[in-house]
Amino acid sequence: MPLSIRINGKRYRISAPSDTPLLYVLTNDIGLKGPRFGCGMAQCGSCSVLADGKEIRSCVMPVGSVARMEITTLEGLARFDARKRGLTKVPDLHPLQQAIIDEQALQCGYCYNGMTVKGAELLASNPNPSEAEIRDAMAGHICRCGTYQRISAAIKRAAATIGGKT
Ligand code: FES
Ligand code: FES
């Protein structure tokens, strides 16, 4: 029986078996480009998405386990933030996506999806995180280019935007 799953505010009917990793459904069935395959072992974070607002590793998450949850991918983060803050208009980018551009935070960009999804999760629960809180939250996300300090700066810049300080 097809699964019904809600992704970025839209409902999809999925014919994949319920034990199929969510990442494969997002990329192969839905055609999303945000979540990426990295390690495939829940170790790097490149496949991260939000399930009911909490980060999960979609490479190891059976799609059947999250079929009743609201899935938000990189493509839906601006909507996620706008709903959270009660904005009437959904901007093109989440404040953290804009901050990553403004800080020129990335090099190759492979970690972009996971860093942004996790950072958005952090900012939704803690709009003004300290350096220590940022480091703690982002600890499970690997950047092979070593951009951690600039990602942290981008999260602080996004926090200032969300707090109306810029
Ligand atoms: S690909 Fe999922 S955590 Fe690395
Ligand atoms: S910018 Fe290259 S992996 Fe993070």
Side-chain angles (χ1 to χ4, degrees):
M1 195 169 114
L3 286 170
S4 173
I5 184 164
R6 194 168 164 82
I7 302 165
N8 298 332
K10 198 170 158 192
R11 189 158 288 284
Y12 296 86
R13 284 169 70 81
I14 305 296
S15 57
S18 62
D19 61 352
T20 305
L22 174 62
L23 177 61
Y24 298 172
V25 170
L26 295 174
T27 56
N28 300 343
D29 295 54
I30 312 293
L32 296 176
K33 304 273 192 255
R36 296 176 180 177
F37 187 91
C39 64
M41 299 166 60
Q43 298 294 308
C44 72
S46 64
C47 66
S48 287
V49 300
L50 301 178
D52 286 347
K54 298 293 174 200
E55 186 220 6
I56 59 169
R57 306 283 162 113
S58 68
C59 65
V60 295
M61 182 62 66
V63 66
S65 300
V66 293
R68 293 177 188 277
M69 304 174 96
E70 171 82 30
I71 303 300
T72 302
T73 70
L74 181 72
E75 293 86 347
L77 287 183
R79 176 179 176 273
F80 171 75
D81 177 64
R83 284 167 64 97
K84 176 92 185 161
R85 292 197 283 145
L87 304 182
T88 51
K89 186 171 181 295
V90 178
D92 290 337
L93 297 176
H94 184 285
L96 181 53
Q97 291 175 292
Q98 186 60 55
I100 285 172
I101 295 169
D102 294 340
E103 290 288 337
Q104 292 286 288
L106 298 175
Q107 289 186 34
C108 80
Y110 206 86
C111 66
Y112 172 63
N113 177 72
M115 294 291 188
T116 312
V117 167
K118 184 65 187 179
E121 180 205 50
L122 170 65
L123 289 166
S125 63
N126 181 356
N128 190 23
S130 66
E131 179 68 32
E133 288 169 331
I134 292 171
R135 284 187 187 203
D136 187 51
M138 306 305 287
H141 285 263
I142 295 171
C143 173
R144 61 191 179 187
C145 305
T147 65
Y148 300 107
Q149 286 189 335
R150 280 185 283 165
I151 293 286
S152 178
I155 291 172
K156 288 177 192 162
R157 182 188 280 258
T161 302
I162 289 169
K165 294 179 192 145
T166 61

